[in-house]
Amino acid sequence: MGVSDRDVSALAGLDFDEIAALVDELGEPPYRARQLFSWIQEKSARDSDALTNLPKALRDRLADVLPLRAATAGTRHDSKDGTFKLLARFHDGETAECVYIPEGDRRTVCISTQVGCGVGCIFCASGEQGVVRNLDAGEIVDQVHLVRTASGGERPGNVVVMGMGEPLHNVNPLVKALRLLQDPRGLDLSPRRITVSTSGPRAGFRELLSSGVKVNLAVSLHAAEDRLRQELVPRGDTGTVQELQGMAAAWFRATRRDVTFEYVLLAGINDRDEDALALARLAGRHLNVNLIPMNPVPYAPQLRAPSRERIQSFVDLLERAGVVVHVRRQRGDDVAAACGQLRLSRAGPAC
Ligand code: SAH
Ligand code: SF4
């Protein structure tokens, strides 16, 4: 099978060895591989005319076997806090949203891994209509490059895989995309600058662990006991609370990186004192807690964040139990770019 027959829609999804094989297939000298890979992954070039040090004949042949352009930038919504949400449009017309979040001198890009999501968490707009399809590796990394270009070309400091979709329902393309982002011949992002957030599908987690790829892991817990978690996170073969704790511990053992439990705070549902105490028993050394006050979604108006006082009491209880806890600040919520507000654009405008 030639590289050009592989299951990717664009050059952006090829790793260095695949680019080298393609260059060889085309009868070009090996040094062209380095040039081509650098254009795509390091310089974010997405227009074959921009590849100025490659001969025109080669650019034309590349365009014939595999198009360079995987995703194009669609509508952009700018928040007053500097965050913007960008629609990435893929070759078949499907779309996913990615977000740029500046904070001080740190620039974070939030990317999606699927169109839609099959887990269906009751508070999340991304899962409202199920999963449409997985994104391939090129479509995942392309979002980073699209946002980089749209934000003036500076390299992103951090990448968070916290957009639309369950990353561990799409593990192989995810792992390939993470390796592309970490490749020293490309953007060269350090593993500690990349965070993957997951609701914890069992099979996907095993695959991620055995891939050996290093990133920060955030486990979306949302409830400290199984019955409530099953109601909040209804599908997707995600682990029990105990299994999720086991996943966090296994990730820490494999990577020596602290793991975060994410916990969307829902007024009257999982925000009582006893919820905080149960959560504190699960967290502890090397297992921090990130509280995310629920961002409103139009289809579930009954769900909302607790009051500021309730959130503070929840934080105090965790801290008194010795847990490292952060409350995530809302970013981009005025343009529906905050956590859980990304949704299928075909369902109507996202904001
Ligand atoms: N599917 C993965 C990654 C995408 S969701 C996961 O669930 O982890 C990223 C984070 O946003 C998760 O922690 C998720 O629980 C949170 N989130 C989803 N909907 C939200 C909402 N309406 N308000 C606040 N956070 C939300
Ligand atoms: Fe899917 Fe994550 Fe949204 Fe749940 S929170 S529906 S797993 S994207």
Side-chain angles (χ1 to χ4, degrees), residues 99-103 106-110 147 156-160 193:
V99 185
Y100 172 75
I101 311 153
E103 191 156 39
R106 211 170 49 168
R107 291 166 299 282
T108 298
V109 179
C110 173
V147 170
N158 298 283
V159 170
V160 294
R193 301 238 167 246

Side-chain angles (χ1 to χ4, degrees), residues 6-39:
R6 299 221 175 162
D7 185 23
V8 286
S9 57
L11 283 171
L14 299 186
D15 63 23
F16 185 79
D17 290 347
E18 289 170 323
I19 290 277
L22 178 63
V23 160
D24 187 53
E25 255 176 53
L26 295 174
E28 292 287 331
Y31 70 88
R32 293 277 183 227
R34 188 90 189 209
Q35 289 176 318
L36 185 55
F37 190 82
S38 160
W39 275 115

Side-chain angles (χ1 to χ4, degrees), residues 117-121 123-128 163-166 199 220 222 233 340:
C117 182
V119 182
C121 301
F123 44 78
C124 176
S126 301
E128 193 190 348
M164 197 189 291
E166 171 42 61
S199 60
S220 289
H222 313 313
V233 185

Side-chain angles (χ1 to χ4, degrees), residues 90-148:
F90 304 112
H91 65 99
D92 59 355
E94 292 295 352
T95 56
E97 286 165 328
C98 31
V99 185
Y100 172 75
I101 311 153
E103 191 156 39
D105 51 11
R106 211 170 49 168
R107 291 166 299 282
T108 298
V109 179
C110 173
I111 56 174
S112 298
T113 50
Q114 298 183 302
V115 179
C117 182
V119 182
C121 301
I122 62 164
F123 44 78
C124 176
S126 301
E128 193 190 348
Q129 297 178 37
V131 66
V132 176
R133 74 164 172 85
N134 287 332
L135 299 183
D136 70 25
E139 291 169 332
I140 297 171
V141 298
D142 252 354
Q143 296 169 62
V144 176
H145 296 288
L146 279 177
V147 170
R148 174 192 187 181

